[in-house]
């Protein structure tokens, strides 16, 4: 090693030690954060190394990518499926009302905490509302496949109305029982129509069933693309020597705090500068809707 190289190495070692000392109390404070991650360690290294503007720019860019991708996924679902959108399409709301109506019809016919004779008109009316909801769903879908959850709700409606009819007849309410039984028959027929449409829908049925998962998988891909662009930005902003210093300080701090925070242990020390900061922001578990984040872990 030449004298010049040795001097440079000594300068770098001294700076690494100095930056480590400066970043340590910052990381100590960051440990209290509810969503502490290795990215917070690296952000503080960037700040003490004089790269606050770069760290803020990257954090803002990748931090906004997740919510933007979620908004884009929801917009895609609305534009593609409209009322049939499994996420928030109005057909799902109508079917939910039908489910509640059928459940209340069964409760009224059973005489829960009341005289079933007094509630017979309500049981009939609620059964009619449940069937009307199914008709609206079929018409709103324009005879196109609806998602499997709507089918399950329709089967619940059929079962609840059959129960309501049986309980009405059990209490000797022939008129009400007959009306509810007719509603149950209509509900069953409408459910069969929906099932047949789905069975013949082929790819269209699969598309609506998997639409939410596919939309958010596409969103994850979009965020990953933003992460790659952000990494290129960091690589272009730091020269090789500075990047090595940042990585060295980051590695020292990760090793130092790994005993207190297990998530810091075993991380790849060869990751380029900025990689952990970016990864912590684009982690799908941080920006995906809770239901989707949970389903990814199953």
């Amino acid at each position: 090693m030449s004298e010049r190289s040795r001097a440079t190495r000594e300068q770098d070692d001294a700076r690494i030690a100095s930056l480590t000392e400066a970043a340590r109390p910052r990381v100590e404070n960051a440990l209290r954060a509810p969503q502490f991650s290795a990215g917070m360690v690296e952000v503080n290294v960037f700040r003490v190394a004089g790269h606050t503007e770069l760290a803020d720019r990257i954090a803002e860019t990748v931090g906004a990518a997740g919510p933007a991708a979620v908004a884009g996924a929801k917009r895609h679902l609305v534009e593609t499926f409209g009322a049939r959108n499994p996420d928030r399409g109005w057909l799902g709301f109508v079917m939910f009302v039908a489910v509640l109506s059928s459940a209340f019809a069964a409760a009224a016919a059973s005489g829960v905490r009341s005289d079933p004779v007094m509630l017979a008109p309500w049981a009939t009316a609620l059964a009619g509302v449940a069937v009307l909801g199914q008709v609206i769903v079929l018409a709103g879908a324009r005879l196109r496949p609806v998602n499997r959850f709507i089918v399950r709700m329709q089967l619940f409606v059929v079962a609840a109305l059959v129960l309501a009819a049986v309980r009405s007849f059990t209490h000797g309410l022939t008129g009400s029982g007959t009306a509810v039984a007719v509603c149950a028959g209509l509900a069953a027929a409408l459910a069969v129509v929906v099932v047949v449409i789905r069975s013949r829908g082929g790819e269209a049925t699969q598309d609506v069933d998997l639409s939410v998962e596919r939309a958010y998988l596409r969103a994850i891909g979009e965020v990953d693309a933003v992460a790659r662009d952000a990494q290129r930005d960091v690589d272009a902003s730091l020269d090789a020597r500075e990047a090595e210093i940042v990585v060295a300080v980051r590695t020292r701090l990760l090793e130092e705090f790994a005993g207190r925070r297990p998530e810091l242990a075993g991380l790849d020390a060869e990751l380029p500068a900025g990689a952990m900061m970016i990864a912590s922001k684009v982690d799908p578990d941080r920006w995906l809707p809770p239901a989707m984040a949970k389903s990814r872990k199953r």
Side-chain angles (χ1 to χ4, degrees):
M1 181 182 293
S2 67
E3 192 66 31
R4 182 176 181 180
S5 296
R6 185 180 296 106
T8 300
R9 182 70 265 177
E10 290 176 353
Q11 290 175 2
D12 288 350
D13 289 343
R15 185 157 184 255
I16 289 170
S18 174
L19 293 177
T20 302
E21 289 297 321
R24 184 177 292 112
R26 291 171 175 258
V27 176
E28 190 80 43
N29 290 331
L31 290 175
R32 304 188 186 97
Q35 289 188 317
F36 176 78
S37 67
M40 290 187 176
V41 175
E42 187 164 55
V43 165
N44 283 294
V45 174
F46 269 71
R47 293 189 188 286
V48 298
H51 306 297
T52 298
E53 187 277 332
L54 174 60
D56 289 346
R57 184 174 76 243
I58 295 300
E60 181 179 355
T61 299
V62 296
V70 169
K74 291 181 177 180
R75 186 167 55 252
H76 168 77
L77 288 169
V78 171
E79 293 172 351
T80 304
F81 297 98
R84 296 183 302 136
N85 171 13
D87 191 30
R88 292 188 179 181
W90 62 264
L91 292 185
F93 173 76
V94 171
M95 201 61 236
F96 180 67
V97 172
V99 166
L100 290 180
S101 298
S102 66
F104 284 128
S110 299
V112 178
R113 295 187 178 182
S114 186
D115 183 0
V117 176
M118 297 285 293
L119 295 177
W122 282 102
T124 303
L126 288 167
V129 170
V131 173
L132 178 61
Q134 285 186 281
V135 172
I136 292 174
V137 167
L138 191 61
R142 290 184 287 179
L143 301 180
R144 293 174 295 176
V146 293
N147 71 83
R148 56 182 175 269
F149 299 109
I150 285 184
V151 175
R152 292 173 186 173
M153 287 191 283
Q154 289 190 319
L155 295 177
F156 178 91
V157 169
V158 173
L161 294 184
V162 168
L163 175 61
V166 170
R167 296 300 293 169
S168 295
F169 285 124
T170 300
H171 292 298
L173 303 172
T174 306
S176 174
T178 301
V180 175
V182 170
C183 288
L186 290 172
L190 291 167
V192 168
V193 171
V194 169
V195 170
V196 170
I197 291 173
R198 278 179 51 84
S199 66
R200 295 183 176 181
E203 188 174 340
T205 299
Q206 187 177 50
D207 285 344
V208 74
D209 280 345
L210 300 177
S211 58
V212 175
E213 290 84 351
R214 287 173 174 174
Y216 286 112
L217 282 174
R218 189 180 302 110
I220 291 174
E222 293 171 358
V223 173
D224 286 344
V226 172
R228 289 191 293 272
D229 289 341
Q231 186 62 63
R232 283 192 285 269
D233 187 0
V234 174
D235 294 343
S237 300
L238 300 178
D239 60 39
R241 181 182 177 188
E242 184 66 8
E244 287 179 3
I245 291 174
V246 168
V247 170
V249 176
R250 182 188 72 190
T251 300
R252 286 191 180 187
L253 291 169
L254 290 175
E255 292 174 349
E256 181 177 330
F257 287 96
R260 296 166 60 184
R261 296 303 292 256
E263 64 266 41
L264 300 183
L267 297 177
D268 185 1
E270 300 302 318
L271 289 174
M276 292 184 184
M277 174 174 61
I278 294 169
S280 68
K281 291 289 185 179
V282 300
D283 180 1
D285 290 340
R286 288 178 178 264
W287 54 267
L288 278 177
M292 287 302 303
K294 190 177 296 184
S295 67
R296 290 180 68 249
K297 298 177 181 178
R298 292 175 184 169

